[in-house]
Amino acid sequence: MSWIKEGELSLWERFCANIIKAGPMPKHIAFIMDGNRRYAKKCQVERQEGHSQGFNKLAETLRWCLNLGIPEVTVYAFSIENFKRSKSEVDGLMDLARQKFSRLMEEQCFLNVCFAHEISNAVREMAWGVEQGLLDPSDISESLLDKCLYTNRSPYPDILIRTSGEVRLSDFLLWQTSHSCLVFQPVLWPEYTFWNLFEAILQFQMNHSVLQKARDMYAEERKRQQLERDQATVTEQLRQEGLQASGDAQLQRTRLHKLSARREERVQGFLQALELKRADCLARLGTASA
Ligand code: IPE
Ligand code: IPE
Ligand code: MG
């Protein structure tokens, strides 16, 4: 029987879901599923049972998201810091992750699972691109970093939810959530309910226009900064050729166009090479663990 799809919303939940769907809905929600051990302590069950119920709660939450028409979910399953926990706890979590995620993956394709942060990798990969001569140092920009993140095929999360009352991000999607609606909820993850999710979406809806405005302004600002950098480069090129940029607007436009077309070409070449490099790395990892 399907793990995610089994069980529908109750009549009352469906009714409220339909009301909330009349407003702007998130296309992507990220969860920091926190509080499993406190839950285990509170209910006087084994720690591993707390983690196991946490994974079950994820399946339930995915079902709610599916019913609400939210097409993408990202979860923080394990942080680098979490490796500092006792060996038995780490082993137990890894076993659960293997079992439960493979079951989830069989059923659902809209779940992204993060095990560690990735910004430093993306920066290293851009440096590799420059070293290999695929990129020019001037190609390094925030938009290129976006494209190097593992999440590059997804829209940024509209909402980031952290449970258990902790109000920090613990290195999770730091780059991607700068304009997300951050929702910190006191409920322990295994006790998360449809109504907690409902409340988070309401918060997003109440802040939607402000968030949207901030995102648009940020995108505009990025474009403006890139154009300013390009204009400075072209002015310098023309100066070196003994020409005045201000004297010939058409010439400046043509050079600007060429500059951005060449950059786009280099970036595409680099991204293709990066994809091959990553595929190769994964294949080698697969062989090593076989
Ligand atoms: C979150 O719950 C699950 C993981 C970090 C893997 P915790 O294990 O952090 O539980 P608390 O926060 O200590 O209660
Ligand atoms: C946070 O782990 C990451 C997950 C919930 C997967 P912790 O609950 O250990 O958080 P910190 O390290 O105390 O911030
Ligand atoms: Mg915790």
Short mmCIF file of all heavy atoms in Angstrom, two decimals, residues 32-38 51 82 85 162-164 166 168 170, ligand 3:
data_model
loop_
_atom_site.label_atom_id
_atom_site.label_comp_id
_atom_site.label_asym_id
_atom_site.label_seq_id
_atom_site.Cartn_x
_atom_site.Cartn_y
_atom_site.Cartn_z
N ILE A 32 12.88 22.00 8.40
CA ILE A 32 13.92 21.50 9.30
C ILE A 32 13.14 20.72 10.36
O ILE A 32 12.46 21.30 11.22
CB ILE A 32 14.73 22.65 9.95
CG1 ILE A 32 15.37 23.52 8.86
CG2 ILE A 32 15.80 22.07 10.88
CD1 ILE A 32 16.20 24.69 9.37
N MET A 33 13.20 19.41 10.21
CA MET A 33 12.33 18.54 11.04
C MET A 33 13.03 18.31 12.38
O MET A 33 13.81 17.38 12.52
CB MET A 33 12.14 17.21 10.32
CG MET A 33 11.77 17.35 8.85
SD MET A 33 11.66 15.76 7.99
CE MET A 33 13.35 15.23 7.88
N ASP A 34 12.75 19.16 13.35
CA ASP A 34 13.51 19.11 14.60
C ASP A 34 12.63 18.72 15.78
O ASP A 34 11.44 19.05 15.82
CB ASP A 34 14.15 20.49 14.83
CG ASP A 34 15.35 20.41 15.75
OD1 ASP A 34 15.80 19.29 16.05
OD2 ASP A 34 15.84 21.47 16.19
N GLY A 35 13.25 18.02 16.73
CA GLY A 35 12.55 17.74 18.00
C GLY A 35 12.25 16.26 18.22
O GLY A 35 11.51 15.92 19.15
N ASN A 36 12.87 15.37 17.43
CA ASN A 36 12.57 13.94 17.58
C ASN A 36 12.96 13.38 18.95
O ASN A 36 12.23 12.59 19.55
CB ASN A 36 13.35 13.12 16.54
CG ASN A 36 12.87 13.39 15.12
OD1 ASN A 36 11.86 14.06 14.93
ND2 ASN A 36 13.59 12.87 14.14
N ARG A 37 14.13 13.82 19.44
CA ARG A 37 14.60 13.23 20.71
C ARG A 37 13.80 13.77 21.89
O ARG A 37 13.50 13.04 22.83
CB ARG A 37 16.10 13.52 20.90
CG ARG A 37 16.94 12.83 19.83
CD ARG A 37 18.41 13.02 20.06
NE ARG A 37 18.79 14.42 20.03
CZ ARG A 37 20.05 14.83 20.09
NH1 ARG A 37 21.03 13.96 20.17
NH2 ARG A 37 20.33 16.12 20.05
N ARG A 38 13.44 15.07 21.82
CA ARG A 38 12.60 15.62 22.90
C ARG A 38 11.24 14.93 22.91
O ARG A 38 10.65 14.68 23.94
CB ARG A 38 12.45 17.14 22.72
CG ARG A 38 13.60 17.91 23.33
CD ARG A 38 13.60 19.34 22.87
NE ARG A 38 14.18 19.46 21.53
CZ ARG A 38 14.16 20.58 20.83
NH1 ARG A 38 13.59 21.65 21.30
NH2 ARG A 38 14.74 20.61 19.64
N HIS A 51 12.96 9.07 16.25
CA HIS A 51 13.42 9.32 14.88
C HIS A 51 12.52 8.60 13.87
O HIS A 51 12.19 9.13 12.82
CB HIS A 51 14.87 8.85 14.70
CG HIS A 51 15.86 9.73 15.40
ND1 HIS A 51 15.83 11.10 15.31
CD2 HIS A 51 16.93 9.44 16.21
CE1 HIS A 51 16.83 11.62 16.04
NE2 HIS A 51 17.50 10.63 16.59
N ASN A 82 25.49 16.80 12.99
CA ASN A 82 24.80 15.62 13.54
C ASN A 82 25.70 14.38 13.57
O ASN A 82 25.44 13.44 14.32
CB ASN A 82 23.52 15.31 12.75
CG ASN A 82 22.44 16.36 12.94
OD1 ASN A 82 21.59 16.55 12.09
ND2 ASN A 82 22.48 17.06 14.06
N ARG A 85 27.04 13.10 16.91
CA ARG A 85 26.23 12.34 17.88
C ARG A 85 26.83 10.94 18.06
O ARG A 85 27.70 10.53 17.29
CB ARG A 85 24.78 12.24 17.38
CG ARG A 85 24.13 13.61 17.36
CD ARG A 85 22.67 13.51 17.00
NE ARG A 85 22.08 14.84 16.96
CZ ARG A 85 20.81 15.09 16.76
NH1 ARG A 85 19.98 14.08 16.59
NH2 ARG A 85 20.35 16.32 16.74
N ARG A 162 10.80 25.54 10.64
CA ARG A 162 11.57 24.76 11.61
C ARG A 162 10.69 24.50 12.82
O ARG A 162 10.08 25.41 13.38
CB ARG A 162 12.84 25.48 12.06
CG ARG A 162 13.66 24.59 13.01
CD ARG A 162 15.04 25.09 13.29
NE ARG A 162 15.80 24.08 14.04
CZ ARG A 162 17.11 23.98 14.05
NH1 ARG A 162 17.84 24.82 13.35
NH2 ARG A 162 17.72 23.04 14.76
N THR A 163 10.65 23.25 13.21
CA THR A 163 9.82 22.87 14.35
C THR A 163 10.65 22.84 15.63
O THR A 163 11.87 23.03 15.59
CB THR A 163 9.19 21.49 14.12
OG1 THR A 163 10.25 20.55 13.90
CG2 THR A 163 8.23 21.49 12.95
N SER A 164 10.00 22.61 16.71
CA SER A 164 10.57 22.37 18.05
C SER A 164 10.99 23.65 18.78
O SER A 164 11.63 23.58 19.82
CB SER A 164 11.74 21.37 18.02
OG SER A 164 12.97 22.03 17.76
N GLU A 166 13.16 25.88 18.04
CA GLU A 166 14.52 26.41 17.82
C GLU A 166 14.44 27.48 16.73
O GLU A 166 13.83 27.24 15.68
CB GLU A 166 15.48 25.30 17.37
CG GLU A 166 15.57 24.11 18.31
CD GLU A 166 16.04 24.49 19.71
OE1 GLU A 166 16.68 25.55 19.86
OE2 GLU A 166 15.73 23.74 20.65
N ARG A 168 16.82 28.95 14.62
CA ARG A 168 18.05 29.11 13.85
C ARG A 168 17.97 28.21 12.61
O ARG A 168 17.12 27.31 12.56
CB ARG A 168 19.28 28.77 14.70
CG ARG A 168 19.26 27.38 15.29
CD ARG A 168 20.46 27.15 16.19
NE ARG A 168 20.43 25.81 16.75
CZ ARG A 168 19.74 25.45 17.82
NH1 ARG A 168 19.02 26.35 18.47
NH2 ARG A 168 19.74 24.21 18.26
N SER A 170 20.77 26.53 11.28
CA SER A 170 21.75 25.45 11.33
C SER A 170 22.33 25.13 9.95
O SER A 170 22.40 23.95 9.56
CB SER A 170 21.14 24.19 11.96
OG SER A 170 20.58 24.47 13.20
MG MG B 3 17.43 18.98 17.26
#
